[in-house]
Coordinates of all heavy atoms in Angstrom, one line a residue:
Chain A
R69 N -20.3 3.0 -4.9 CA -21.1 3.9 -5.8 C -21.2 5.3 -5.2 O -21.8 6.1 -5.9 CB -22.4 3.2 -6.0 CG -22.3 1.9 -6.8 CD -23.6 1.4 -7.3 NE -23.3 0.3 -8.2 CZ -24.2 -0.2 -9.0 NH1 -25.5 0.3 -9.0 NH2 -23.9 -1.2 -9.9
R96 N -20.4 -5.3 -8.3 CA -21.3 -4.6 -7.4 C -21.3 -5.3 -6.0 O -21.6 -4.7 -5.0 CB -22.7 -4.5 -8.0 CG -23.6 -3.7 -7.2 CD -24.9 -3.5 -7.8 NE -25.8 -2.8 -6.9 CZ -27.1 -2.6 -7.1 NH1 -27.6 -3.1 -8.2 NH2 -27.8 -2.0 -6.3
A97 N -21.1 -6.6 -6.0 CA -21.1 -7.3 -4.8 C -20.1 -8.4 -4.8 O -19.7 -8.9 -5.9 CB -22.5 -8.0 -4.7
T99 N -19.4 -12.1 -3.9 CA -20.2 -13.3 -3.5 C -19.2 -14.5 -3.3 O -18.4 -14.8 -4.2 CB -21.2 -13.6 -4.7 OG1 -22.1 -12.5 -4.8 CG2 -21.9 -14.9 -4.4
G104 N -22.4 -19.0 -1.2 CA -23.2 -18.0 -1.8 C -23.5 -16.7 -1.0 O -24.3 -15.9 -1.4
S106 N -23.3 -13.1 0.1 CA -23.0 -12.0 -0.8 C -22.9 -10.7 0.0 O -23.8 -10.4 0.8 CB -24.1 -11.9 -1.9 OG -23.7 -10.8 -2.8
R112 N -26.3 2.6 -1.0 CA -27.7 2.6 -1.1 C -28.4 1.4 -0.4 O -29.5 1.4 0.0 CB -28.2 2.7 -2.5 CG -28.0 4.0 -3.2 CD -28.6 4.0 -4.5 NE -28.1 2.9 -5.4 CZ -28.7 2.5 -6.5 NH1 -29.8 3.1 -6.9 NH2 -28.2 1.5 -7.2
L113 N -27.6 0.3 -0.4 CA -28.1 -1.0 0.1 C -27.7 -1.2 1.6 O -28.4 -1.9 2.3 CB -27.6 -2.2 -0.7 CG -28.2 -2.4 -2.1 CD1 -27.5 -3.6 -2.7 CD2 -29.7 -2.7 -2.0
V121 N -25.6 -8.8 2.4 CA -26.9 -8.5 1.9 C -27.6 -9.7 1.4 O -28.9 -9.7 1.3 CB -26.8 -7.4 0.7 CG1 -26.4 -6.1 1.2 CG2 -25.8 -7.9 -0.4
G122 N -26.9 -10.7 1.0 CA -27.6 -11.9 0.4 C -27.1 -13.2 1.1 O -25.9 -13.5 1.2
V123 N -28.1 -13.9 1.6 CA -27.8 -15.2 2.3 C -28.7 -16.3 1.7 O -29.9 -16.2 1.9 CB -27.9 -15.2 3.8 CG1 -27.6 -16.6 4.4 CG2 -27.0 -14.1 4.4
P124 N -28.2 -17.2 0.9 CA -29.1 -18.3 0.4 C -29.9 -19.0 1.5 O -29.3 -19.3 2.5 CB -28.1 -19.2 -0.3 CG -26.9 -18.4 -0.6 CD -26.8 -17.4 0.5
E132 N -35.2 -16.3 8.7 CA -34.9 -14.8 8.8 C -34.4 -14.4 10.2 O -34.6 -13.3 10.6 CB -36.2 -14.1 8.4 CG -36.7 -14.3 7.0 CD -37.7 -13.3 6.5 OE1 -37.9 -12.3 7.2 OE2 -38.2 -13.5 5.4
Chain B
T28 N -33.2 -5.2 -11.7 CA -32.6 -3.9 -11.8 C -31.2 -3.9 -12.1 O -30.6 -2.9 -12.7 CB -32.8 -3.1 -10.5 OG1 -32.2 -3.8 -9.4 CG2 -34.3 -2.9 -10.2
D29 N -30.5 -5.0 -11.7 CA -29.0 -5.0 -12.0 C -28.6 -6.5 -11.9 O -29.1 -7.3 -11.2 CB -28.3 -4.2 -10.9 CG -26.9 -3.9 -11.4 OD1 -26.5 -4.3 -12.5 OD2 -26.1 -3.3 -10.6
P31 N -25.0 -8.3 -11.5 CA -23.6 -8.2 -11.4 C -22.8 -9.3 -12.2 O -21.6 -9.1 -12.3 CB -23.3 -8.3 -9.9 CG -24.5 -8.8 -9.3 CD -25.7 -8.6 -10.3
D33 N -22.3 -12.4 -11.4 CA -21.5 -13.4 -10.6 C -22.1 -14.8 -10.7 O -21.5 -15.8 -10.1 CB -21.3 -12.9 -9.1 CG -22.6 -12.8 -8.4 OD1 -23.6 -13.3 -8.8 OD2 -22.6 -12.2 -7.3
V35 N -24.6 -15.9 -9.2 CA -25.2 -16.4 -7.9 C -26.4 -15.5 -7.5 O -27.4 -15.9 -7.1 CB -24.2 -16.4 -6.8 CG1 -24.8 -16.9 -5.5 CG2 -23.0 -17.3 -7.2
W36 N -26.2 -14.1 -7.7 CA -27.2 -13.2 -7.3 C -27.6 -12.2 -8.4 O -26.7 -11.9 -9.3 CB -26.7 -12.3 -6.1 CG -26.4 -13.1 -4.9 CD1 -25.2 -13.7 -4.5 CD2 -27.3 -13.4 -3.8 NE1 -25.4 -14.4 -3.3 CE2 -26.6 -14.2 -2.9 CE3 -28.7 -13.0 -3.6 CZ2 -27.2 -14.6 -1.7 CZ3 -29.3 -13.5 -2.4 CH2 -28.5 -14.3 -1.5
F38 N -30.0 -8.4 -8.7 CA -30.7 -7.4 -7.9 C -32.0 -7.1 -8.5 O -32.1 -7.0 -9.8 CB -29.9 -6.1 -7.7 CG -28.7 -6.3 -6.9 CD1 -27.5 -6.7 -7.4 CD2 -28.7 -6.1 -5.5 CE1 -26.3 -6.9 -6.6 CE2 -27.6 -6.3 -4.7 CZ -26.4 -6.7 -5.2
R40 N -36.5 -5.5 -7.8 CA -37.6 -5.0 -6.9 C -38.8 -5.9 -7.0 O -39.1 -6.4 -8.1 CB -38.0 -3.6 -7.3 CG -36.9 -2.6 -7.0 CD -37.5 -1.2 -7.2 NE -36.5 -0.2 -7.0 CZ -35.6 0.2 -7.9 NH1 -35.7 -0.3 -9.2 NH2 -34.7 1.1 -7.7
K49 N -43.3 -6.2 1.5 CA -42.0 -6.2 0.7 C -42.2 -5.5 -0.7 O -41.3 -5.0 -1.2 CB -41.5 -7.7 0.5 CG -41.2 -8.3 1.8 CD -40.2 -9.4 1.6 CE -39.8 -9.9 3.0 NZ -38.8 -11.0 3.0
E55 N -34.5 -2.1 -3.6 CA -33.8 -3.2 -4.4 C -33.4 -4.3 -3.4 O -32.9 -4.0 -2.3 CB -32.5 -2.5 -4.9 CG -32.1 -2.9 -6.3 CD -31.0 -2.1 -6.8 OE1 -30.3 -1.4 -6.0 OE2 -30.7 -2.2 -8.0
Q56 N -33.5 -5.5 -3.9 CA -33.2 -6.7 -3.0 C -32.2 -7.6 -3.8 O -32.4 -7.8 -5.0 CB -34.4 -7.5 -2.7 CG -35.5 -6.7 -2.0 CD -35.1 -6.4 -0.5 OE1 -34.3 -7.1 0.1 NE2 -35.7 -5.3 0.0
P57 N -31.3 -8.3 -3.1 CA -30.6 -9.3 -3.8 C -31.4 -10.6 -3.9 O -32.1 -11.0 -3.0 CB -29.4 -9.6 -2.8 CG -29.9 -9.1 -1.5 CD -30.9 -8.1 -1.7
F59 N -31.5 -14.6 -4.9 CA -30.6 -15.7 -5.0 C -31.0 -16.6 -6.2 O -32.2 -16.8 -6.4 CB -30.6 -16.5 -3.7 CG -29.7 -17.7 -3.7 CD1 -28.3 -17.5 -4.0 CD2 -30.1 -18.9 -3.3 CE1 -27.4 -18.6 -4.0 CE2 -29.2 -20.0 -3.2 CZ -27.9 -19.8 -3.6
D62 N -33.5 -19.4 -6.0 CA -34.9 -19.0 -5.7 C -35.7 -18.6 -6.9 O -36.9 -18.4 -6.8 CB -34.9 -17.8 -4.7 CG -34.3 -18.3 -3.3 OD1 -34.3 -19.5 -3.1 OD2 -33.8 -17.4 -2.6

Side-chain angles (χ1 to χ4, degrees):
Chain A
R69 293 188 169 196
R96 186 173 176 188
T99 298
S106 183
R112 285 188 306 165
L113 287 177
V121 291
V123 179
E132 299 197 6
Chain B
T28 56
D29 197 2
D33 63 13
V35 181
W36 296 89
F38 290 89
R40 290 191 183 86
K49 295 202 173 184
E55 220 176 12
Q56 302 288 334
F59 186 46
D62 292 338

